[in-house]
Amino acid sequence: MTSTQARHTRRAVLQSAIDAGARCATADPDLWFRTDNEPDTEWHARRDQAIRFCTGCPVRAACEELALRNGDGNQDTDEMVRAGLTGQELAAVRSHQEQRLAAAVAADQDTDGRHMRDLTVLVQNEVISSPDKRQGRARLAPARVQTEQNHLVQMLTARINEIRTARRARAGWGVAA
Ligand code: SF4
């Protein structure tokens, strides 16, 4: 399953849960949205009522996740409630999650970086300790030992290239970069 298919599947699961259990299913949907030019005092009273309504909803978590996935809410606009959160609160949660995701990706990439450095040191050590080099080619290493060492160096090098390609792809450079 591709990541796009997984996202669509997850959205369908969330929507099904909401369809089955939304507390607001039979309520007036206007309660959750500010009307054009509605004064603050009127909207805030309705907004508080909507937040209280959501508080007891059994599918609130699914509702919040779907709202975040759908990009609902705006930092600069106080015009809606969903999952018991104002539009501004939803935007703040999304921003916080994006920061956590970015930090997780950076940490992952750092782990890859350390892994690549460790593998590079292993390759260098193998090359330096090559029986041919160690003995100044005075005596040729047994062919089997040399073949095994060459194989190990190839495997380590291939793994380094794999990690490097994955990091570049994640950074948007594309597989061929
Ligand atoms: S959390 Fe609120 S907006 Fe979401 S489904 Fe429940 S009642 Fe409706």
Side-chain angles (χ1 to χ4, degrees):
M1 180 184 288
T2 66
S3 59
T4 302
Q5 288 170 327
R7 273 200 301 277
H8 288 160
T9 302
R10 180 65 182 160
R11 180 169 273 111
V13 168
L14 293 169
Q15 189 62 62
S16 303
I18 293 166
D19 290 346
R23 197 175 173 213
C24 57
T26 55
D28 178 1
D30 288 345
L31 183 63
W32 282 263
F33 296 96
R34 187 176 195 161
T35 57
D36 289 345
N37 302 318
E38 185 173 6
D40 279 353
T41 47
E42 288 178 27
W43 162 238
H44 288 170
R46 256 175 350 100
R47 189 185 69 181
D48 291 348
Q49 198 184 339
I51 291 171
R52 280 196 300 277
F53 199 98
C54 289
T55 301
C57 179
V59 294
R60 184 175 169 178
C63 184
E64 179 179 329
E65 185 178 337
L66 190 61
L68 293 171
R69 284 170 179 269
N70 287 344
D72 289 346
N74 187 313
Q75 196 61 54
D76 304 320
T77 319
D78 178 20
E79 61 180 9
M80 63 174 292
V81 168
R82 197 155 171 206
L85 299 172
T86 65
Q88 290 161 320
E89 288 169 337
L90 278 171
V93 170
R94 181 181 301 105
S95 168
H96 179 61
Q97 289 188 351
E98 282 169 355
Q99 287 168 8
R100 285 178 51 201
L101 183 60
V105 169
D108 181 41
Q109 288 173 340
D110 280 345
T111 301
D112 279 351
R114 280 195 300 276
H115 196 184
M116 276 205 301
R117 283 192 294 277
D118 291 347
L119 289 171
T120 302
V121 169
L122 278 176
V123 170
Q124 288 168 343
N125 287 344
E126 282 300 320
V127 171
I128 290 168
S129 69
S130 163
D132 281 354
K133 291 234 166 70
R134 204 169 46 226
Q135 296 173 22
R137 292 183 182 274
R139 285 183 300 152
L140 285 177
R144 189 173 60 80
V145 174
Q146 187 66 63
T147 301
E148 284 175 1
Q149 193 167 35
N150 288 345
H151 183 61
L152 178 60
V153 169
Q154 281 170 3
M155 273 178 32
L156 292 171
T157 305
R159 182 66 189 131
I160 290 170
N161 288 336
E162 256 177 46
I163 296 171
R164 184 179 292 129
T165 301
R167 290 185 76 189
R168 287 177 172 177
R170 275 202 302 272
W173 289 18
V175 175

